[in-house]
């Protein structure tokens, strides 16, 4: 993708395609996003991705971003707006049965032999007690927790409305590679 800008400084480049859900196919499904466990009426409406909750299903849309020349030292920032009358989060002993309303990030890695593995890098939960539009933003790195020899090759951004009732709307999703990251844990 090409980004043309005018000004003294370049802006950040959003790595996601159709991040504001402005483009749809003939069924009004968001282009560049993959549907997961959604019903036919979960479509783009008013420029927002609608996901209808179901207490026995994990509903979501996701987009994969291929990485070139990535390292485990790379840091990214993800942000997203969402609106829902959701049920309180409920953790279960088996993760697919958690009830939540969130943005999830999964990082995929390859080893020297081309074998693939993945890990959930971050989950940003929305406040289930607030039925107004909410914004979440957070940074994450590509560091694998146990193997520094793996090479990150893909990031999956997942807009999740798992085991919920009612309806959620997502909009203005952004993924940026962070140029400068500061570690303030040393008291600086």
């Amino acid at each position: 993708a090409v980004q043309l800008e005018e000004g003294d400084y370049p802006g950040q480049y959003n790595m996601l395609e159709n991040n504001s859900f402005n483009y749809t196919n003939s069924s009004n499904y968001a282009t560049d996003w993959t549907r997961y466990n959604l019903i036919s009426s979960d479509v783009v409406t008013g420029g927002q991705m609608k996901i209808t909750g179901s207490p026995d299903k994990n509903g979501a849309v996701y987009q994969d971003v291929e990485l070139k020349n990535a390292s485990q030292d790379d840091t990214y920032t993800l942000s997203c707006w969402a609106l829902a009358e959701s049920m309180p989060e409920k953790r279960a002993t088996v993760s697919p049965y958690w009830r939540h309303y969130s943005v999830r990030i999964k990082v995929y890695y390859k080893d020297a032999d081309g074998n693939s593995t993945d890990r959930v890098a971050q989950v940003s939960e929305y406040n289930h007690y607030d039925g107004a539009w909410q914004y979440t933003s957070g940074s994450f790195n590509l560091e694998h927790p146990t193997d520094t020899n793996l090479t990150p090759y893909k990031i999956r951004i997942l807009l999740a409305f798992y085991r919920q009732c009612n309806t959620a709307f997502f909009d203005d999703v952004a993924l940026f590679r962070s140029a400068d990251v500061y570690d303030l844990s040393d008291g600086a």
Side-chain angles (χ1 to χ4, degrees), residues 30-61:
T31 58
D32 301 303
W33 291 86
T34 301
R35 299 163 51 84
Y36 177 76
N37 267 347
L38 300 185
I39 60 175
S40 62
S41 63
D42 287 335
V43 297
V44 173
T45 178
Q48 299 150 2
M49 182 64 225
K50 178 180 111 178
I51 299 177
T52 304
S54 175
D56 61 346
K57 288 187 180 170
N58 295 339
V61 294

Side-chain angles (χ1 to χ4, degrees), residues 45-118:
T45 178
Q48 299 150 2
M49 182 64 225
K50 178 180 111 178
I51 299 177
T52 304
S54 175
D56 61 346
K57 288 187 180 170
N58 295 339
V61 294
Y62 66 87
Q63 187 172 138
D64 290 337
V65 177
E66 299 295 326
L67 304 173
K68 296 195 185 321
N69 303 318
S71 81
Q72 290 195 26
D73 295 329
D74 293 345
T75 301
Y76 292 81
T77 300
L78 176 70
S79 63
C80 182
W81 284 92
L83 168 80
E85 293 285 340
S86 69
M87 296 171 60
E89 176 186 353
K90 178 181 177 185
R91 299 261 178 201
T93 55
V94 180
S95 67
Y97 301 105
W98 291 355
R99 178 173 55 227
H100 58 92
Y101 159 44
S102 64
V103 177
R104 302 171 63 81
I105 300 156
K106 187 181 272 192
V107 180
Y108 292 82
Y109 303 88
K110 285 188 180 174
D111 64 15
D113 297 324
N115 299 314
S116 183
T117 187
D118 62 70

Side-chain angles (χ1 to χ4, degrees), residues 154-171:
K154 179 171 67 174
I155 299 172
R156 176 169 288 174
I157 305 303
L158 186 86
L159 310 179
F161 201 54
Y162 283 11
R163 302 193 175 276
Q164 287 284 346
C165 292
N166 304 318
T167 303
F169 296 90
F170 294 90
D171 199 7

